[in-house]
Amino acid sequence: MRVRDNMTRDVMTVTPTTPIHQVASLMAHHGVSGLPVLDEKGAVVGIVTEADLLVRQKPRTRMSWWRLFLDGERLAREFQRAVGTTAGEVMTREVISIGPDLPIEAAAAILHEQKIRRVPVVADGALVGILSRGDLVKALAGAPPRTAAPISDARLVEAMKAGLAAEPWAPRSLVVEAVAGVLTLWGLVGTQAERAALETMARSIPGVAGVDNQLVVNPVLPSGM
């Protein structure tokens, strides 16, 4: 199964200038835990979640001077999120997104690893849907046990490379090898989440007997490189 088969296509969104009270009203009325924030071109620039709104309810405490010196940028951002009046001021800006062709198992791993409830689905820079934990539970509950006949090592490598090419966040310089049905992944990734998601991607390929994950996390490496 792929994300496109299970995502919600009719997505409610807001803009960076949408007032916070309107965002909260939409979330409460429609029973959703987060709303993607789109710019004037339709690109996802953030997401407003329940956690972003709850930050506003926490009492603010006076910071020590040394914390201001060491963490000034982060504290300024926290202040903006706590007192902001628009979606753009309080939203989470580091948005994780996935592609519609990602295997559903890999999407589940990303939501679990990142501890998020929903993730925007983006194709060619545009929002095409959203996948929530509820969507995943329905998909996995209705899926029959998967069985696959053994296929050649060359076909396994081709399938893995196709999966990498379909995901904008996946590194393009990985080395993929297969011996006796076991896929080995070599190369650098930017985060532990990418490393885990790529292993899941490999395991989700029908016919794979196992995965030898030799990927190394390099925090300074940009995503998709």
Side-chain angles (χ1 to χ4, degrees), residues 155-197:
R155 291 283 300 278
L156 292 178
V157 172
E158 289 177 4
M160 184 64 193
K161 289 183 176 180
L164 293 172
E167 296 305 318
W169 53 268
R172 298 293 184 264
S173 57
L174 297 187
V175 175
V176 182
E177 299 176 344
V179 177
V182 177
L183 274 174
T184 301
L185 308 178
W186 303 86
L188 299 177
V189 294
T191 66
Q192 185 62 39
E194 290 178 10
R195 184 179 189 275

Short mmCIF file of all heavy atoms in Angstrom, two decimals, residues 155-197:
data_model
loop_
_atom_site.label_atom_id
_atom_site.label_comp_id
_atom_site.label_asym_id
_atom_site.label_seq_id
_atom_site.Cartn_x
_atom_site.Cartn_y
_atom_site.Cartn_z
N ARG A 155 16.72 -6.90 -9.09
CA ARG A 155 15.38 -6.28 -9.02
C ARG A 155 15.17 -5.58 -7.68
O ARG A 155 14.52 -4.53 -7.61
CB ARG A 155 14.32 -7.36 -9.24
CG ARG A 155 14.26 -7.92 -10.65
CD ARG A 155 13.56 -6.95 -11.59
NE ARG A 155 12.20 -6.68 -11.17
CZ ARG A 155 11.16 -7.47 -11.44
NH1 ARG A 155 11.34 -8.60 -12.13
NH2 ARG A 155 9.94 -7.15 -11.04
N LEU A 156 15.71 -6.17 -6.61
CA LEU A 156 15.60 -5.53 -5.30
C LEU A 156 16.33 -4.19 -5.28
O LEU A 156 15.82 -3.20 -4.75
CB LEU A 156 16.17 -6.45 -4.21
CG LEU A 156 15.40 -7.74 -3.93
CD1 LEU A 156 16.13 -8.56 -2.87
CD2 LEU A 156 13.98 -7.44 -3.47
N VAL A 157 17.51 -4.16 -5.86
CA VAL A 157 18.26 -2.91 -5.92
C VAL A 157 17.51 -1.87 -6.74
O VAL A 157 17.42 -0.69 -6.36
CB VAL A 157 19.67 -3.16 -6.52
CG1 VAL A 157 20.38 -1.82 -6.78
CG2 VAL A 157 20.50 -4.02 -5.58
N GLU A 158 16.93 -2.28 -7.86
CA GLU A 158 16.16 -1.37 -8.69
C GLU A 158 14.97 -0.80 -7.93
O GLU A 158 14.68 0.39 -8.02
CB GLU A 158 15.66 -2.10 -9.95
CG GLU A 158 16.75 -2.44 -10.95
CD GLU A 158 16.20 -3.24 -12.13
OE1 GLU A 158 14.97 -3.45 -12.17
OE2 GLU A 158 16.99 -3.64 -13.00
N ALA A 159 14.28 -1.67 -7.18
CA ALA A 159 13.11 -1.22 -6.43
C ALA A 159 13.50 -0.22 -5.35
O ALA A 159 12.81 0.78 -5.12
CB ALA A 159 12.41 -2.42 -5.80
N MET A 160 14.62 -0.46 -4.68
CA MET A 160 15.08 0.47 -3.64
C MET A 160 15.47 1.81 -4.24
O MET A 160 15.13 2.87 -3.71
CB MET A 160 16.26 -0.14 -2.88
CG MET A 160 16.75 0.70 -1.71
SD MET A 160 15.47 0.85 -0.43
CE MET A 160 16.15 2.18 0.57
N LYS A 161 16.17 1.78 -5.36
CA LYS A 161 16.57 3.03 -6.01
C LYS A 161 15.36 3.82 -6.50
O LYS A 161 15.34 5.06 -6.45
CB LYS A 161 17.53 2.74 -7.16
CG LYS A 161 18.90 2.28 -6.70
CD LYS A 161 19.86 2.07 -7.87
CE LYS A 161 21.25 1.70 -7.39
NZ LYS A 161 22.20 1.49 -8.51
N ALA A 162 14.33 3.11 -6.94
CA ALA A 162 13.09 3.78 -7.36
C ALA A 162 12.42 4.45 -6.17
O ALA A 162 11.89 5.57 -6.28
CB ALA A 162 12.15 2.78 -8.02
N GLY A 163 12.44 3.76 -5.02
CA GLY A 163 11.87 4.35 -3.82
C GLY A 163 12.62 5.59 -3.38
O GLY A 163 12.02 6.60 -3.00
N LEU A 164 13.95 5.57 -3.47
CA LEU A 164 14.76 6.73 -3.12
C LEU A 164 14.45 7.91 -4.05
O LEU A 164 14.34 9.05 -3.61
CB LEU A 164 16.24 6.38 -3.21
CG LEU A 164 16.78 5.37 -2.18
CD1 LEU A 164 18.20 4.97 -2.53
CD2 LEU A 164 16.71 5.95 -0.78
N ALA A 165 14.33 7.62 -5.33
CA ALA A 165 14.08 8.68 -6.31
C ALA A 165 12.71 9.33 -6.12
O ALA A 165 12.52 10.49 -6.48
CB ALA A 165 14.20 8.12 -7.72
N ALA A 166 11.76 8.58 -5.54
CA ALA A 166 10.41 9.09 -5.39
C ALA A 166 10.24 10.00 -4.18
O ALA A 166 9.24 10.70 -4.07
CB ALA A 166 9.42 7.92 -5.28
N GLU A 167 11.22 10.00 -3.27
CA GLU A 167 11.11 10.78 -2.04
C GLU A 167 12.07 11.96 -2.04
O GLU A 167 13.28 11.77 -2.09
CB GLU A 167 11.37 9.90 -0.82
CG GLU A 167 10.37 8.78 -0.65
CD GLU A 167 8.94 9.31 -0.59
OE1 GLU A 167 8.71 10.35 0.08
OE2 GLU A 167 8.06 8.70 -1.21
N PRO A 168 11.56 13.20 -1.96
CA PRO A 168 12.43 14.38 -2.01
C PRO A 168 13.39 14.48 -0.83
O PRO A 168 14.43 15.12 -0.94
CB PRO A 168 11.42 15.54 -2.02
CG PRO A 168 10.16 14.99 -1.45
CD PRO A 168 10.13 13.55 -1.87
N TRP A 169 13.05 13.85 0.30
CA TRP A 169 13.92 13.94 1.48
C TRP A 169 15.02 12.89 1.46
O TRP A 169 15.96 12.96 2.27
CB TRP A 169 13.09 13.76 2.75
CG TRP A 169 12.26 12.50 2.74
CD1 TRP A 169 10.96 12.39 2.32
CD2 TRP A 169 12.66 11.19 3.13
NE1 TRP A 169 10.53 11.10 2.43
CE2 TRP A 169 11.55 10.34 2.93
CE3 TRP A 169 13.84 10.65 3.63
CZ2 TRP A 169 11.60 8.97 3.20
CZ3 TRP A 169 13.89 9.30 3.91
CH2 TRP A 169 12.78 8.47 3.70
N ALA A 170 14.93 11.91 0.58
CA ALA A 170 15.88 10.79 0.58
C ALA A 170 17.19 11.20 -0.10
O ALA A 170 17.18 11.85 -1.14
CB ALA A 170 15.28 9.59 -0.13
N PRO A 171 18.35 10.81 0.48
CA PRO A 171 19.64 11.11 -0.15
C PRO A 171 19.75 10.47 -1.53
O PRO A 171 19.24 9.38 -1.76
CB PRO A 171 20.65 10.49 0.83
CG PRO A 171 19.93 10.40 2.13
CD PRO A 171 18.50 10.13 1.77
N ARG A 172 20.41 11.15 -2.44
CA ARG A 172 20.55 10.65 -3.81
C ARG A 172 21.87 9.89 -4.02
O ARG A 172 22.07 9.29 -5.06
CB ARG A 172 20.50 11.83 -4.79
CG ARG A 172 19.18 12.59 -4.77
CD ARG A 172 18.03 11.72 -5.29
NE ARG A 172 16.79 12.45 -5.36
CZ ARG A 172 15.85 12.45 -4.41
NH1 ARG A 172 16.04 11.73 -3.32
NH2 ARG A 172 14.74 13.12 -4.56
N SER A 173 22.76 9.95 -3.02
CA SER A 173 24.10 9.39 -3.22
C SER A 173 24.32 8.07 -2.48
O SER A 173 25.46 7.66 -2.28
CB SER A 173 25.16 10.40 -2.77
OG SER A 173 24.95 10.77 -1.41
N LEU A 174 23.25 7.41 -2.06
CA LEU A 174 23.41 6.14 -1.34
C LEU A 174 23.87 5.03 -2.27
O LEU A 174 23.53 5.01 -3.45
CB LEU A 174 22.10 5.74 -0.67
CG LEU A 174 21.53 6.68 0.40
CD1 LEU A 174 20.32 6.04 1.06
CD2 LEU A 174 22.59 7.02 1.43
N VAL A 175 24.60 4.09 -1.71
CA VAL A 175 24.98 2.88 -2.42
C VAL A 175 24.08 1.75 -1.93
O VAL A 175 23.95 1.54 -0.72
CB VAL A 175 26.46 2.53 -2.17
CG1 VAL A 175 26.81 1.20 -2.83
CG2 VAL A 175 27.35 3.65 -2.70
N VAL A 176 23.45 1.06 -2.86
CA VAL A 176 22.53 -0.03 -2.53
C VAL A 176 23.05 -1.32 -3.13
O VAL A 176 23.32 -1.38 -4.34
CB VAL A 176 21.10 0.26 -3.05
CG1 VAL A 176 20.15 -0.86 -2.65
CG2 VAL A 176 20.61 1.61 -2.53
N GLU A 177 23.19 -2.33 -2.30
CA GLU A 177 23.64 -3.63 -2.77
C GLU A 177 22.68 -4.70 -2.26
O GLU A 177 21.98 -4.51 -1.27
CB GLU A 177 25.06 -3.93 -2.26
CG GLU A 177 26.11 -2.94 -2.74
CD GLU A 177 27.47 -3.22 -2.13
OE1 GLU A 177 27.52 -3.97 -1.13
OE2 GLU A 177 28.47 -2.69 -2.64
N ALA A 178 22.63 -5.84 -2.95
CA ALA A 178 21.78 -6.95 -2.53
C ALA A 178 22.50 -8.26 -2.78
O ALA A 178 23.06 -8.49 -3.85
CB ALA A 178 20.45 -6.94 -3.27
N VAL A 179 22.48 -9.11 -1.75
CA VAL A 179 23.06 -10.44 -1.85
C VAL A 179 22.11 -11.42 -1.17
O VAL A 179 21.77 -11.24 0.00
CB VAL A 179 24.46 -10.52 -1.19
CG1 VAL A 179 24.99 -11.95 -1.26
CG2 VAL A 179 25.42 -9.54 -1.84
N ALA A 180 21.65 -12.41 -1.93
CA ALA A 180 20.74 -13.43 -1.40
C ALA A 180 19.51 -12.81 -0.75
O ALA A 180 19.03 -13.28 0.29
CB ALA A 180 21.48 -14.33 -0.41
N GLY A 181 19.00 -11.75 -1.34
CA GLY A 181 17.78 -11.13 -0.85
C GLY A 181 17.95 -10.13 0.26
O GLY A 181 16.98 -9.50 0.70
N VAL A 182 19.17 -9.94 0.75
CA VAL A 182 19.45 -8.98 1.82
C VAL A 182 19.97 -7.68 1.21
O VAL A 182 20.99 -7.67 0.53
CB VAL A 182 20.47 -9.54 2.83
CG1 VAL A 182 20.80 -8.48 3.88
CG2 VAL A 182 19.93 -10.80 3.49
N LEU A 183 19.25 -6.58 1.47
CA LEU A 183 19.66 -5.27 0.97
C LEU A 183 20.63 -4.63 1.95
O LEU A 183 20.37 -4.59 3.16
CB LEU A 183 18.44 -4.36 0.81
CG LEU A 183 17.65 -4.43 -0.50
CD1 LEU A 183 16.41 -3.57 -0.41
CD2 LEU A 183 18.51 -4.01 -1.68
N THR A 184 21.74 -4.11 1.42
CA THR A 184 22.69 -3.37 2.24
C THR A 184 22.69 -1.92 1.78
O THR A 184 22.78 -1.64 0.57
CB THR A 184 24.10 -3.95 2.11
OG1 THR A 184 24.09 -5.31 2.54
CG2 THR A 184 25.08 -3.18 2.99
N LEU A 185 22.56 -1.00 2.74
CA LEU A 185 22.53 0.43 2.45
C LEU A 185 23.80 1.07 2.98
O LEU A 185 24.15 0.93 4.16
CB LEU A 185 21.30 1.08 3.11
CG LEU A 185 19.94 0.42 2.84
CD1 LEU A 185 18.85 1.16 3.60
CD2 LEU A 185 19.64 0.40 1.34
N TRP A 186 24.50 1.82 2.10
CA TRP A 186 25.74 2.51 2.46
C TRP A 186 25.57 4.01 2.15
O TRP A 186 24.95 4.38 1.16
CB TRP A 186 26.93 1.99 1.68
CG TRP A 186 27.19 0.52 1.79
CD1 TRP A 186 26.64 -0.47 1.05
CD2 TRP A 186 28.07 -0.12 2.71
NE1 TRP A 186 27.12 -1.70 1.43
CE2 TRP A 186 28.01 -1.51 2.46
CE3 TRP A 186 28.93 0.33 3.72
CZ2 TRP A 186 28.76 -2.43 3.17
CZ3 TRP A 186 29.68 -0.58 4.42
CH2 TRP A 186 29.59 -1.95 4.16
N GLY A 187 26.16 4.86 3.01
CA GLY A 187 26.17 6.28 2.71
C GLY A 187 25.90 7.12 3.94
O GLY A 187 25.86 6.62 5.08
N LEU A 188 25.74 8.44 3.72
CA LEU A 188 25.51 9.41 4.78
C LEU A 188 24.08 9.93 4.72
O LEU A 188 23.54 10.15 3.63
CB LEU A 188 26.48 10.59 4.67
CG LEU A 188 27.98 10.27 4.77
CD1 LEU A 188 28.78 11.54 4.54
CD2 LEU A 188 28.31 9.65 6.11
N VAL A 189 23.47 10.12 5.89
CA VAL A 189 22.15 10.74 5.99
C VAL A 189 22.22 11.88 7.00
O VAL A 189 23.14 11.93 7.82
CB VAL A 189 21.07 9.73 6.41
CG1 VAL A 189 20.87 8.67 5.34
CG2 VAL A 189 21.43 9.07 7.74
N GLY A 190 21.25 12.79 6.93
CA GLY A 190 21.29 13.96 7.79
C GLY A 190 20.78 13.74 9.20
O GLY A 190 21.22 14.42 10.13
N THR A 191 19.84 12.80 9.39
CA THR A 191 19.24 12.60 10.70
C THR A 191 19.01 11.12 10.98
O THR A 191 18.97 10.30 10.06
CB THR A 191 17.88 13.32 10.81
OG1 THR A 191 16.95 12.70 9.90
CG2 THR A 191 18.00 14.81 10.46
N GLN A 192 18.81 10.81 12.26
CA GLN A 192 18.49 9.45 12.64
C GLN A 192 17.13 9.04 12.09
O GLN A 192 16.91 7.87 11.73
CB GLN A 192 18.47 9.33 14.17
CG GLN A 192 18.26 7.92 14.70
CD GLN A 192 19.36 6.96 14.29
OE1 GLN A 192 20.54 7.34 14.28
NE2 GLN A 192 19.03 5.73 13.97
N ALA A 193 16.21 10.02 11.97
CA ALA A 193 14.89 9.71 11.41
C ALA A 193 15.00 9.27 9.96
O ALA A 193 14.31 8.33 9.54
CB ALA A 193 13.99 10.94 11.51
N GLU A 194 15.87 9.92 9.19
CA GLU A 194 16.07 9.52 7.79
C GLU A 194 16.66 8.11 7.73
O GLU A 194 16.25 7.28 6.90
CB GLU A 194 17.00 10.51 7.08
CG GLU A 194 16.38 11.87 6.84
CD GLU A 194 17.35 12.83 6.18
OE1 GLU A 194 18.44 12.38 5.76
OE2 GLU A 194 17.03 14.02 6.10
N ARG A 195 17.62 7.82 8.61
CA ARG A 195 18.24 6.50 8.63
C ARG A 195 17.19 5.42 8.90
O ARG A 195 17.15 4.38 8.22
CB ARG A 195 19.34 6.46 9.70
CG ARG A 195 20.13 5.15 9.74
CD ARG A 195 21.21 5.21 10.82
NE ARG A 195 22.10 4.07 10.74
CZ ARG A 195 21.84 2.89 11.31
NH1 ARG A 195 20.72 2.71 12.01
NH2 ARG A 195 22.71 1.89 11.19
N ALA A 196 16.33 5.68 9.89
CA ALA A 196 15.31 4.69 10.22
C ALA A 196 14.29 4.54 9.11
O ALA A 196 13.85 3.43 8.78
CB ALA A 196 14.61 5.10 11.52
N ALA A 197 13.89 5.68 8.50
CA ALA A 197 12.89 5.63 7.43
C ALA A 197 13.41 4.90 6.20
O ALA A 197 12.67 4.16 5.54
CB ALA A 197 12.46 7.05 7.06
#
